[in-house]
Amino acid sequence: MQFGFDAAVRTTQRWLQQVFTPADSGPATSSADSNATTRKQDDVSQAAENTRQEPMFEELPEDIRYHIHSLLPVQDAARAACASHGFLRSWRCYPNLTLNERTLGLAGKKIKGRDIDLICIVDPILKNHCGLKTLKLDLLPFNNISASCLDRWLHTAVHSGVKELSLALSSHEESYSFPCSVLSGEAAASSIQSLYLFGCAFHPTEIIGHLRRLKILHLSCVHITEEGLDHLLSKSFALEELEIFKCSNIICLTIPCTLQKLKFLKVAWCQVLQAVEINAPKLSSFYYSGTALLGISVGDSSQLKDVHLVHPPCILYYARARLPSIARNVKSLTLASCGENVNTPMLLSKLPRLKKLDIRLLGLEPAFSPHYDALSLISFLQASPALDSFILRINQDVMCHDSVVGDDYVYLRKKPEFQHEHLRQVTITGFRASKSLVELVIYILESAPSLERLTLDTTDSNDRSSCTSRKPCRCSWMTKSNVADAHVAMEVAGRCIASRVPSGVEFKVLGPCKL
């Protein structure tokens, strides 16, 4: 049945292309050209007439015609409504509206008067719609939409039964305040499942109703206070996913224990944020990115399995010291550091269930200490007896201080005391000819009897599949100095590491792409 629907959609789109593609224009050069144009216009008219009479569309049961219509992109759906009475009726129940500069046909229009055109188009669309499931108002290119219009559109959408509501504005986040009344009635409580807000103010109060179906909440560049967010979260018992991005008025983020279903939490680039207190018992994924370390506390970390901590300086030190107590059951861990002042400490605490470890040395300010020893990363390996996969990504500007391994290099570190029985795959991108990196690799080879694959990539490119002459990858951005360093690293890997690789291990050394 789905195959038949897809074929009907393709047929409708071809018909629309015929109907709405204007005949060739230009100065007539001959009667033959004129006759050809006339024939094309006749063909278009006949195609439109045939489709209006086509039983596949007009005589199909209404629910099937509505379903076919709903599968069309919004622009094609609106065009079909202009060319067919049957599609006009189903357009009024078209479930998923994405209204932006492109879909409304306002791309490329002169800025003057464009906001008025927007209102004249959107008003009748929403006024005549019913059964709306998704409304995405992407108004980033528009600067002068009145608050009364926005309020009217939002109220109309909620009363129409919208499930997913998205509003993106270009104005300063305090210029428009999202109306709490939209979320105060039974209509919102019984319908809204996803709410996305970008570029506005939002000050929830007690008048907000119990949003018993709200599962996803994304707030980006939203002016919201801690008290307002607390009000909102206290009425959102069904919440499963929460993202907070660049909300600059929150100092302490508290996730209450009443969010019994919350599984995913992402907090990014909230400038004044100092602490995150998590009491949601079912949280399984936590993402944080920012420029400062946080005070993170987790009331019940038994379900927390996936943790990403990105960008804060000294995050490796912090994670090694704190994660065993706040995320003991973590299985997948990503750490991205923009600078480490001291080596990663050797501690007795463990991450007993960690299977995948991804460490990224970004090399941004503050820079890595000239005394930083990459071999200290074995602290994470020793803390993770179940580790299966280890990925280390090194930016080209990191580890430049480390001495290049010379021809007289001799490995003097003592034999490892730990055996990593489950470690099977190791990848290092940005590998270079530095002593501490070479020693880290040798340590892994001597302590991982189950190792199956070791890859040393001398570039910092993560995806080589797109490397072509037409679509160059990151290798094409390498400077002559980077390329020279990569070739030295390849030579060192062949001289100091290759002979130590057991015969059962797949070993690859990757150099710069040859375009």
Side-chain angles (χ1 to χ4, degrees):
M1 180 63 73
Q2 184 61 46
F3 176 80
F5 286 145
D6 291 342
V9 169
R10 289 193 297 271
T11 300
T12 305
Q13 288 178 310
R14 285 196 297 269
W15 163 60
L16 290 172
Q17 187 175 14
Q18 283 183 304
V19 172
F20 288 96
T21 300
D24 295 335
S25 59
T29 58
S30 69
S31 60
D33 292 336
S34 178
N35 291 336
T37 301
T38 301
R39 284 196 302 272
K40 182 171 183 179
Q41 291 171 338
D42 291 341
D43 290 342
V44 170
S45 299
Q46 186 62 45
E49 184 61 30
N50 289 343
T51 308
R52 289 189 184 97
Q53 296 174 357
E54 176 60 55
M56 184 178 182
F57 300 105
E58 296 293 347
E59 296 181 10
L60 283 172
E62 188 177 71
D63 59 338
I64 294 179
R65 189 169 63 245
Y66 281 17
H67 182 63
I68 293 173
H69 200 184
S70 71
L71 297 175
L72 290 170
V74 64
Q75 281 182 300
D76 289 340
R79 286 180 168 185
C82 296
S84 165
H85 291 296
F87 279 137
L88 176 60
R89 290 191 295 272
S90 63
W91 165 249
R92 291 168 180 159
C93 297
Y94 185 81
N96 303 310
L97 289 178
T98 298
L99 304 181
N100 55 36
E101 184 182 41
R102 181 182 61 83
T103 61
L104 295 173
L106 297 176
K109 295 288 183 71
K110 293 182 179 180
I111 295 178
K112 185 177 181 180
R114 193 170 55 167
D115 293 349
I116 297 176
D117 292 339
L118 171 76
I119 295 170
C120 292
I121 297 172
V122 174
D123 260 340
I125 289 177
L126 294 181
K127 182 179 179 181
N128 295 312
H129 245 73
C130 61
L132 196 59
K133 293 182 179 179
T134 300
L135 176 62
K136 297 180 179 180
L137 289 170
D138 181 359
L139 307 180
L140 290 174
F142 304 93
N143 298 313
N144 297 306
I145 307 300
S146 68
S148 61
C149 281
L150 293 171
D151 289 354
R152 182 170 66 252
W153 295 342
L154 295 172
H155 278 285
T156 300
V158 170
H159 286 289
S160 182
V162 70
K163 294 181 179 180
E164 179 182 333
L165 180 60
S166 175
L167 175 65
L169 300 175
S170 63
S171 55
H172 189 272
E173 63 185 35
E174 297 184 48
S175 299
Y176 174 71
S177 184
F178 185 90
C180 292
S181 57
V182 168
L183 304 178
S184 63
E186 179 60 25
S190 61
S191 65
I192 291 184
Q193 298 180 18
S194 303
L195 179 62
Y196 302 81
L197 298 181
F198 180 97
C200 64
F202 189 22
H203 301 296
T205 64
E206 290 291 346
I207 71 168
I208 283 187
H210 290 284
L211 302 174
R212 58 178 179 269
R213 301 194 66 185
L214 184 64
K215 296 180 180 180
I216 300 174
L217 175 63
H218 290 191
L219 303 176
S220 297
C221 301
V222 171
H223 185 275
I224 188 170
T225 64
E226 291 177 32
E227 182 181 10
L229 184 58
D230 289 344
H231 278 309
L232 181 58
L233 297 182
S234 69
K235 302 295 183 70
S236 308
F237 303 123
L239 205 61
E240 297 178 5
E241 179 179 315
L242 174 61
E243 288 194 20
I244 301 176
F245 176 76
K246 285 190 175 181
C247 294
S248 56
N249 290 82
I250 301 174
I251 298 175
C252 179
L253 174 63
T254 302
I255 308 300
C257 60
T258 53
L259 297 184
Q260 295 284 315
K261 297 182 178 181
L262 187 68
K263 296 179 180 179
F264 179 93
L265 173 63
K266 184 174 184 178
V267 183
W269 305 106
C270 297
Q271 294 180 351
V272 300
L273 186 66
Q274 297 178 5
V276 176
E277 181 181 339
I278 303 172
N279 296 306
K282 298 294 180 63
L283 189 72
S284 60
S285 297
F286 174 55
Y287 287 59
Y288 169 75
S289 58
T291 57
L293 286 171
L294 296 180
I296 301 174
S297 63
V298 183
D300 181 356
S301 64
S302 61
Q303 301 298 314
L304 187 54
K305 305 295 173 57
D306 185 17
V307 174
H308 289 234
L309 303 176
V310 178
H311 250 289
C314 301
I315 194 60
L316 301 182
Y317 188 101
Y318 175 90
R320 183 63 188 93
R322 294 281 294 132
L323 278 180
S325 61
I326 63 176
R328 180 174 174 79
N329 294 327
V330 63
K331 291 185 177 181
S332 177
L333 175 61
T334 298
L335 302 172
S337 176
C338 63
E340 298 291 321
N341 293 327
V342 295
N343 292 333
T344 307
M346 296 293 181
L347 302 172
L348 296 178
S349 55
K350 300 289 185 181
L351 297 168
R353 299 188 180 181
L354 184 62
K355 292 187 175 182
K356 181 180 179 181
L357 176 62
D358 188 337
I359 293 178
R360 307 173 187 183
L361 309 183
L362 300 178
L364 305 177
E365 292 294 337
F368 280 74
S369 165
H371 304 293
Y372 185 76
D373 186 352
L375 189 63
S376 69
L377 293 175
I378 67 173
S379 175
F380 283 101
L381 304 184
Q382 294 179 359
S384 312
L387 193 66
D388 173 85
S389 172
F390 174 47
I391 302 173
L392 175 61
R393 310 172 199 265
I394 306 171
N395 184 277
Q396 292 174 349
D397 297 326
V398 180
M399 306 294 296
C400 295
H401 59 271
D402 207 356
S403 301
V404 175
V405 176
D407 294 336
D408 58 347
Y409 170 74
V410 178
Y411 180 67
L412 298 177
R413 303 267 186 160
K414 63 180 181 179
K415 297 290 184 179
E417 299 176 0
F418 295 85
Q419 290 293 297
H420 306 290
E421 301 289 347
H422 300 282
L423 185 58
R424 297 186 305 110
Q425 301 182 58
V426 174
T427 300
I428 299 178
T429 63
F431 178 79
R432 48 186 48 86
S434 67
K435 286 184 179 180
S436 62
L437 280 177
V438 170
E439 290 169 351
L440 175 62
V441 174
I442 294 175
Y443 168 86
I444 291 172
L445 288 172
E446 293 183 347
S447 63
S450 299
L451 191 66
E452 297 176 0
R453 185 180 299 112
L454 172 62
T455 302
L456 305 179
D457 189 342
T458 59
T459 76
D460 63 357
S461 177
N462 297 321
D463 182 12
R464 290 172 171 264
S465 63
S466 63
C467 293
T468 66
S469 58
R470 294 183 179 180
K471 187 180 179 182
C473 66
R474 294 182 67 183
C475 295
S476 63
W477 303 349
M478 295 176 66
T479 65
K480 290 183 179 180
S481 176
N482 294 148
V483 172
D485 290 343
H487 287 299
V488 172
M490 292 176 67
E491 186 273 329
V492 167
R495 175 165 48 85
C496 300
I497 296 174
S499 61
R500 299 174 182 267
V501 179
S503 58
V505 176
E506 180 184 339
F507 179 54
K508 290 183 179 180
V509 180
L510 304 177
C513 306
K514 297 178 181 179
L515 299 180

